[in-house]
Amino acid sequence: MNVKKRLLTGVVCGALLVGTTVPALAATVHYNDGASVGGSAEWNAWTKEWESVATDYTQVSLTPGADETELNFAWYSKDNGQAATPVVHFGTDKNALKTFTGTSADVEGDLTGGEAYDYNYVTVTGLKENTTYYYTVEKNGVQSDVETYRTHSFSTVKMLYVGDPQIGASKGQPQGSETLSGDSGAANTAARNDAFGWNRTLEAAVAQDPDVSFIISAGDQVNKTGQPKEEEYAGYLSADVLSYLPVATAIGNHDSLNPDYQYHFNNPNATDYGTTAAGGDYYYSYGNGLFIVLNTNNYNVAEHKQAIAQAVASDPDAAWRIVTIHQDIYGSGLDHSDTDGMILRTQLTPIFDQYDIDVVLQGHDHTYSRSKLLYGDGQSHGTYEFQLNDEGTDYDWDNAYNTQTNTQIPLYPEDGDTTGETLLSNFQADNHCYTIETTVGSTVTNPNGTLYMTANSASGSKFYELISGQQDYIANRSQNWLPSWSVITMDADTFSIDTYQLTADGKTEKIDSTFTINKTGDGESLTAPLTRAQAVERLYEAAGCPTVSADAGFADVDANASYAEAVAWAKSQGVVKGMNASAFQPDAVISQAQFAAMLTRYAALQGKAGASANANLAQGLTFAKSNGLLTGSAVTASTVDYALTKLGK
């Protein structure tokens, strides 16, 4: 995550967290102090180890393969004048390992202080579930020590989902009597601090769920931007857990402008779409899931769409389609969620709808949030991007650009800049491009919308404030200034996510209820005309399904009908009046005028100005149309969701 230029950096010291107090429109930085949270013995041992870790660029990186039967390896080896040896020895018998040979190429010398290295790629194939394997890698022909790797179930898969380790991001913050430094090499004490926290979090997560198969990281593995900082990757890869858990990484904005990202991570099915210096989009399948990872630092959404299409074509029958991106197009952090985080929202939302994406995993915000189920509003919207600064060393985070008009939009207009304030306001209004699906509770079945998760920092290297007002599309959010992670459990029919934080004394605490998506076959159509009962059910769900003591009071509404309670609530609140005193006609297709009248009475119940609790059909149509609540002529599930979303604003 980038820190904006207007961010102020005064500090207030505490035992666990160090933070800043800043104006309302800027984010607040907090971090975990490794010397305070780690225990003196562990921390002291790590500080002694750091000098050797920081200079060891040859640590091995594991990445998921193209599917669950493959495992990818990447590592640096010193170029000592002899050919590199991209070889992995792998198998179930440590005394009779099979040899797998891959490829190698030069690492750019300016990344490693002029010292010559090669990067090595190897793919191991033929893996089986619930099996223990052993491996070594060759570095210049010398085998490493034997490591252990275990597969787990391929039908019920557990994954860790993390955000923004961003090793090195705590630079400038105090630690004891010193200030954490971002200088290169072992002098990068911020990287030392954050790598310690990263390892601590992973150890706690795996101790709690030892049967996870791999990690999904939503980007910003390191803090470097446009400069060589290999010690940050060394710190990231030094985590003990990473010797046996692969990581599927998204490219964050701090990773995107450096080629060493793609040297360190041997990503499967790497495409030429969405590329920056770090690489581009890729995808893989695992168990019942198709996982698509987009480099959203490239703003060419047409290319991302091609990558998604290619991925879906490779595994069209996957039960679940999961996308990982860095920028949180639906997040809740200050101030990114309403500025640079949502930069691709108008473009990506309809593409995710088109390809039936179930879940989007995001980072960038250094806060935690879980969205409601969202899909597009079907309206026309602008398209936006960021552009590189004049030096080409980073993006110009202060301004977005409308790609259709090339209009520059200041994200932080100066006081008195009315033109800039108008441009920003219009940009934010245009990004209200979503519809909230009407659902109830933390378990949903066959939803049409997409779930958007935003992960907080897993290392504790940097935290930001939540935006002051929780957006209507957010179901739950949290910022406790503690490292966190989620555990995803996925089988053919169920996708569940649990989220935890790690306290200063090493305890694991749950910070959100379990959210579960069930699939039981074909879901509800968004475009089929609704019956009167179905329309009332959605209004009842939007109201939170309040308890009703009386029955519906209509002769044609069976007390045992699934919609009986909804109709009873609607009648008791004056939302419906029936076709006559004794008939509701639950199975009749609802007309636009009937729905408009119900919606207007519902709006009055919610205290909306101009809405009448006794609106007739004509009055209902007038209110609904004047407030832009109706789309099309037929009343469908999307009609109701759109109207309720718009009404909520």
Side-chain angles (χ1 to χ4, degrees):
M1 247 320 310
N2 52 293
V3 182
K4 299 294 189 293
K5 294 179 180 179
R6 294 180 66 187
L7 179 66
L8 304 182
T9 56
V11 294
V12 178
C13 299
L16 172 62
L17 302 168
V18 179
T20 66
T21 302
V22 296
L25 292 180
T28 298
V29 176
H30 299 255
Y31 77 107
N32 274 199
D33 181 348
S36 297
V37 304
S40 58
E42 292 82 4
W43 173 252
N44 290 336
W46 170 245
T47 58
K48 293 177 182 178
E49 187 181 353
W50 173 243
E51 186 167 354
S52 60
V53 170
T55 56
D56 182 6
Y57 304 157
T58 68
Q59 297 178 73
V60 177
S61 164
L62 306 183
T63 306
D67 62 30
E68 63 272 15
T69 69
E70 296 185 357
L71 178 65
N72 286 357
F73 290 77
W75 69 96
Y76 284 12
S77 57
K78 288 187 177 182
D79 187 342
N80 57 8
Q82 300 177 342
T85 53
V87 176
V88 172
H89 304 276
F90 192 94
T92 56
D93 183 351
K94 66 175 63 178
N95 297 312
L97 300 177
K98 183 180 178 180
T99 297
F100 293 84
T101 302
T103 61
S104 63
D106 294 338
V107 172
E108 293 185 13
D110 59 354
L111 298 173
T112 54
E115 191 171 3
Y117 285 83
D118 298 303
Y119 68 93
N120 303 268
Y121 283 176
V122 174
T123 296
V124 168
T125 61
L127 276 67
K128 298 179 180 180
E129 64 180 344
N130 298 313
T131 304
T132 298
Y133 296 93
Y134 306 93
Y135 73 87
T136 67
V137 305
E138 288 192 14
K139 299 177 181 178
N140 304 107
V142 179
Q143 290 192 49
S144 65
D145 293 337
V146 176
E147 299 283 356
T148 303
Y149 176 79
R150 296 181 180 87
T151 60
H152 302 283
S153 172
F154 291 167
S155 56
T156 299
V157 180
K158 278 191 173 184
M159 301 148 272
L160 296 182
Y161 157 49
V162 302
D164 298 73
Q166 203 170 335
I167 307 303
S170 63
K171 66 178 182 179
Q173 302 295 346
Q175 192 164 83
S177 60
E178 301 179 350
T179 299
L180 290 168
S181 169
D183 294 339
S184 296
N188 191 336
T189 53
R192 179 193 66 188
N193 182 73
D194 304 338
F196 179 85
W198 172 233
N199 181 70
R200 178 173 174 267
T201 299
L202 291 180
E203 291 283 354
V206 172
Q208 177 180 264
D209 288 277
D211 54 346
V212 295
S213 293
F214 61 96
I215 304 169
I216 296 171
S217 170
D220 278 357
Q221 280 61 236
V222 297
N223 191 58
K224 58 188 291 182
T225 302
Q227 57 181 318
K229 287 279 185 76
E230 280 292 329
E231 75 278 355
E232 294 180 353
Y233 275 116
Y236 173 91
L237 293 171
S238 71
D240 295 333
V241 167
L242 300 188
S243 68
Y244 60 86
L245 267 187
V247 188
T249 55
I251 299 172
N253 54 289
H254 283 265
D255 308 310
S256 68
L257 299 179
N258 301 280
D260 46 355
Y261 168 90
Q262 61 178 313
Y263 300 155
H264 283 296
F265 301 107
N266 180 11
N267 293 330
N269 297 317
T271 75
D272 292 327
Y273 302 126
T275 59
T276 62
D281 304 340
Y282 69 96
Y283 58 91
Y284 58 99
S285 295
Y286 206 103
N288 295 288
L290 171 64
F291 298 83
I292 306 167
V293 187
L294 305 179
N295 180 8
T296 45
N297 304 283
N298 183 316
Y299 302 103
N300 188 334
V301 177
E303 290 193 4
H304 297 314
K305 183 177 180 180
Q306 288 179 282
I308 293 171
Q310 183 174 313
V312 169
S314 75
D315 193 1
D317 298 324
W320 302 96
R321 296 175 181 175
I322 300 101
V323 168
T324 306
I325 59 178
H326 179 60
Q327 283 79 0
D328 54 323
I329 62 173
Y330 294 104
S332 202
L334 179 75
D335 51 1
H336 307 97
S337 60
D338 281 349
T339 51
D340 67 279
M342 67 181 185
I343 191 70
L344 295 179
R345 182 190 295 176
T346 60
Q347 300 173 78
L348 287 177
T349 302
I351 294 172
F352 294 161
D353 291 346
Q354 178 183 349
Y355 287 95
D356 295 323
I357 302 303
D358 297 290
V359 179
V360 177
L361 304 175
Q362 314 165 121
H364 196 56
D365 240 359
H366 295 252
T367 63
Y368 168 74
S369 67
R370 169 171 57 84
S371 80
K372 300 173 183 176
L373 279 298
L374 308 175
Y375 58 92
D377 63 1
Q379 309 302 302
S380 297
H381 296 276
T383 59
Y384 306 94
E385 68 176 9
F386 283 108
Q387 298 179 2
L388 289 172
N389 59 23
D390 293 339
E391 296 77 24
T393 57
D394 200 355
Y395 298 95
D396 172 14
W397 298 114
D398 291 330
N399 301 284
Y401 291 82
N402 184 309
T403 64
Q404 298 160 320
T405 64
N406 203 38
T407 301
Q408 184 185 78
I409 304 164
L411 300 182
Y412 311 94
E414 299 293 333
D415 293 340
D417 180 6
T418 56
T419 301
E421 290 171 352
T422 299
L423 288 169
L424 176 60
S425 178
N426 291 339
F427 167 71
Q428 293 173 336
D430 196 34
N431 274 275
H432 192 273
C433 60
Y434 54 87
T435 298
I436 301 171
E437 185 171 4
T438 305
T439 60
V440 178
S442 56
T443 298
V444 297
T445 300
N446 297 332
N448 289 292
T450 300
L451 172 68
Y452 292 83
M453 303 293 301
T454 302
N456 206 340
S457 171
S459 67
S461 65
K462 181 168 66 179
F463 301 108
Y464 288 154
E465 298 276 7
L466 292 164
I467 198 166
S468 58
Q470 181 170 318
Q471 300 96 327
D472 62 342
Y473 57 77
I474 294 295
N476 199 10
R477 62 185 194 164
S478 176
Q479 181 57 284
N480 295 322
W481 320 115
L482 295 170
S484 64
W485 70 93
S486 298
V487 179
I488 296 170
T489 305
M490 176 189 71
D491 61 24
D493 304 312
T494 304
F495 186 102
S496 294
I497 186 162
D498 296 275
T499 302
Y500 305 89
Q501 65 186 15
L502 182 63
T503 66
D505 57 359
K507 295 180 179 178
T508 296
E509 297 177 340
K510 199 169 185 180
I511 61 172
D512 194 0
S513 58
T514 302
F515 190 83
T516 301
I517 304 173
N518 293 321
K519 288 189 178 182
T520 62
D522 294 334
E524 178 187 33
S525 170
L526 286 173
T527 58
L530 295 180
T531 65
R532 287 169 53 83
Q534 288 172 327
V536 169
E537 282 185 291
R538 297 185 85 84
L539 294 176
Y540 179 55
E541 291 171 351
C545 297
T547 302
V548 183
S549 56
D551 61 25
F554 294 113
D556 57 356
V557 176
D558 190 308
N560 296 316
S562 60
Y563 51 79
E565 193 169 17
V567 176
W569 164 82
K571 185 180 182 183
S572 70
Q573 300 299 313
V575 174
V576 301
K577 301 183 182 300
M579 301 303 289
N580 55 55
S582 61
F584 179 68
Q585 296 184 6
D587 297 325
V589 173
I590 191 169
S591 71
Q592 188 179 72
Q594 290 170 349
F595 172 67
M598 293 179 189
L599 182 66
T600 303
R601 299 168 197 153
Y602 174 84
L605 187 65
Q606 302 301 312
K608 301 298 181 181
S612 171
N614 298 302
N616 58 28
L617 299 186
Q619 291 168 331
L621 280 171
T622 298
F623 175 81
K625 289 181 177 180
S626 64
N627 286 278
L629 304 180
L630 296 178
T631 57
S633 55
V635 179
T636 66
S638 64
T639 304
V640 181
D641 288 345
Y642 178 86
L644 290 170
T645 302
K646 192 121 177 128
L647 193 63
K649 297 296 288 186

